[in-house]
Amino acid sequence: MNAPIDPIDPPTQVARRGTALLLTGGGARAAYQVGVLQALAALRRHNQPGRQGSPFDIIVGTSAGAINAAALATGADRFGHAVARLSRIWRAFGAAQVYRSEARDAARAGARWLGALALGWAWRRGAARQPRSLLDNQPLRELLQTELPFERLPGLLAAGHLRGLAVTASSYASGEHLSFYDAVGDMQGWARTQRRALHTRIGVEHLMASSAIPFVFPATPLTVDGRRGYYGDGAMRQMAPIAPAIHLGAERVLVIGAGHGHLRAGQPESVSGDYPSLAQVAGHALSAIFLDTLAVDIDQLERVNHTLSLVAPERRGETGLRQVDLLAIVPSERLDLIACRHLHTLPQAVRTLLGMLGVRADAHDAPSAALASYLLFEAEYTRDLMRLGRADALARRVDICRFFHWHDTAPDLR
């Protein structure tokens, strides 16, 4: 750390037990989460004046959501301060803080990928020259090392400010989906088919692995069970994104997503008869990784809750299940359409690289901009997403106050 570690405030008033926050993945789209958190902090400030700690005792994140989750967890004794710190970073973002965007770096990456595609098997003779990713995210590692005081986490857990933090990653070797968690006491891990949890001290490398978007950012080496392996984005093969929060003891979960929640089954989207570009295919694949499983898991949890409501209270314990209150806040607008308005803010080298994949600089349709919406770490775009997140959360203020059992005394915060 470049700065001294802040002292841990005494735990005068801690979160209501079993209250979890789940932050999903989505690259630059995670700026939307920060806007929601801003609104939540403002509502909390008016409804619970004087409380400094986090309203969540369990925090779970995936991919870019894991980074936001870690920032909140390492500042769990001062929730408003942690949200303000996140806001400061996301409001002033530039792509160069996340990945190398100089012309020579983009040209080198493009040449390696084209060479690998053109030469095929012959390229394997020079293994060191094989492309590992489209972009180099070393600047992100440096940013996380500077901004996230992980040294505070053990003290926050011991003092009772936090019960658990979990971030997820996916093993490229075994295909296993891992939830790395740090928690109080001797809480045991869990295992299900192709997914399990590992109690460990979470650090920057876990976040680098969790946010390593496939093909876009390089895999991160981690040592698990005494063996070194390479791990990528936690959204890959994540069949139950809400499960880690429940395993950590959540009785109520606030989910902040980054997908197009305004679309409903049977609602048509604009359709083009053109053959999809590589960028459209990549954007579609990333949406399947980051966005679709959350909607399925929410539907499943709601069905479980409904089923349990039909069971007599004295018999519910026999099911091995429990009801979990759920509140999900997702964008009211398509984030890839918002990205269309900001493609020009990307560095020229990155625009050229994406242009080779079919992203048009003057794109006005969501499919063409979908891939860029994950990589647009530029202030104009992230500020727009933060504004949308804040507005969406304030539009749900009644639901939020009901979720936390607050009496809504806040003035108009719009």
Side-chain angles (χ1 to χ4, degrees):
M1 291 297 300
N2 296 334
I5 301 172
D6 293 331
I8 296 173
D9 292 338
T12 54
Q13 295 170 309
V14 297
R16 184 181 175 201
R17 185 176 177 85
T19 304
L21 174 66
L22 170 61
L23 300 174
T24 65
R29 290 169 171 248
Y32 174 85
Q33 299 169 354
V34 182
V36 175
L37 292 168
Q38 285 179 325
L40 179 60
L43 288 170
R44 202 289 185 82
R45 190 163 52 247
H46 286 280
N47 288 287
Q48 291 189 314
R51 290 206 176 186
Q52 299 297 320
S54 173
F56 306 99
D57 66 334
I58 299 166
I59 303 177
V60 177
T62 298
S63 193
I67 295 174
N68 287 341
L72 294 178
T74 55
D77 55 335
R78 284 174 284 175
F79 180 70
H81 176 80
V83 172
R85 181 176 61 183
L86 267 177
S87 302
R88 170 179 56 81
I89 294 171
W90 282 96
R91 283 184 59 82
F93 242 140
Q97 294 174 271
V98 180
Y99 51 82
R100 301 195 189 283
S101 56
E102 294 87 354
R104 64 182 181 184
D105 295 307
R108 186 182 299 115
R112 285 189 174 185
W113 278 104
L114 289 175
L117 291 172
L119 299 178
W121 66 270
W123 193 265
R124 290 180 297 184
R125 296 179 180 178
R129 299 177 59 198
Q130 290 186 42
R132 295 193 170 190
S133 62
L134 191 64
L135 297 168
D136 177 3
N137 61 348
Q138 177 62 25
L140 176 61
R141 177 180 280 105
E142 296 166 1
L143 177 68
L144 298 179
Q145 290 170 340
T146 299
E147 295 289 346
L148 295 184
F150 275 108
E151 294 89 344
R152 302 186 81 237
L153 194 55
L156 291 167
L157 288 164
H161 287 290
L162 192 68
R163 289 182 62 209
L165 167 68
V167 302
T168 61
S170 182
S171 169
Y172 279 112
S174 67
E176 195 173 42
H177 183 267
L178 262 71
S179 294
F180 298 97
Y181 73 98
D182 202 353
V184 295
D186 56 353
M187 183 179 295
Q188 297 299 309
W190 59 91
R192 299 292 185 270
T193 304
Q194 283 299 96
R195 57 188 173 95
R196 65 185 174 104
L198 183 67
H199 195 168
T200 189
R201 179 72 63 85
I202 295 173
V204 168
E205 295 308 307
H206 296 97
L207 301 186
M208 292 299 295
S210 183
S211 60
I213 301 175
F215 297 109
V216 177
F217 296 140
T220 299
L222 295 174
T223 300
V224 175
D225 298 331
R227 295 189 297 273
R228 177 183 167 94
Y230 284 89
Y231 290 77
D233 203 292
M236 294 189 293
R237 310 190 78 166
Q238 187 177 40
M239 305 307 297
I242 305 175
I246 296 175
H247 283 294
L248 287 173
E251 298 175 3
R252 64 202 63 83
V253 183
L254 173 62
V255 179
I256 308 178
H260 35 272
H262 66 292
L263 292 175
R264 297 293 181 262
Q267 181 178 344
E269 297 187 59
S270 59
V271 178
S272 169
D274 298 333
Y275 192 83
S277 65
L278 286 176
Q280 286 177 261
V281 174
H284 184 73
L286 290 180
S287 293
I289 291 172
F290 286 116
L291 311 180
D292 295 346
T293 57
L294 176 62
V296 172
D297 205 25
I298 289 175
D299 286 344
Q300 181 174 335
L301 180 57
E302 290 175 342
R303 286 196 299 271
V304 169
N305 283 341
H306 176 69
T307 300
L308 287 176
S309 70
L310 303 177
V311 178
E314 64 272 13
R315 301 293 302 274
R316 290 176 189 171
E318 301 173 13
T319 67
L321 303 172
R322 69 175 185 272
Q323 286 184 304
V324 177
D325 293 338
L326 178 71
L327 175 60
I329 299 178
V330 294
S332 59
E333 300 177 23
R334 293 201 62 163
L335 303 192
D336 35 16
L337 283 175
I338 296 176
C340 291
R341 304 197 295 264
H342 299 287
L343 290 174
H344 68 280
T345 65
L346 280 168
Q348 178 61 51
V350 179
R351 294 204 307 271
T352 300
L353 186 59
L354 292 177
M356 295 169 62
L357 300 176
V359 177
R360 301 192 305 273
D362 60 345
H364 298 291
D365 59 305
S368 294
L371 174 60
S373 73
Y374 296 92
L375 303 178
L376 252 167
F377 292 95
E378 297 292 341
E380 284 189 21
Y381 176 62
T382 57
R383 290 179 184 181
D384 259 8
L385 299 196
M386 290 167 65
R387 281 191 288 267
L388 178 63
R390 180 181 174 88
D392 285 350
L394 292 177
R396 303 282 304 278
R397 63 184 293 167
V398 173
D399 296 327
I400 290 173
C401 290
R402 184 183 300 118
F403 177 86
F404 287 105
H405 295 274
W406 295 341
H407 298 291
D408 190 359
T409 60
D412 190 345
L413 299 173
R414 290 175 293 179

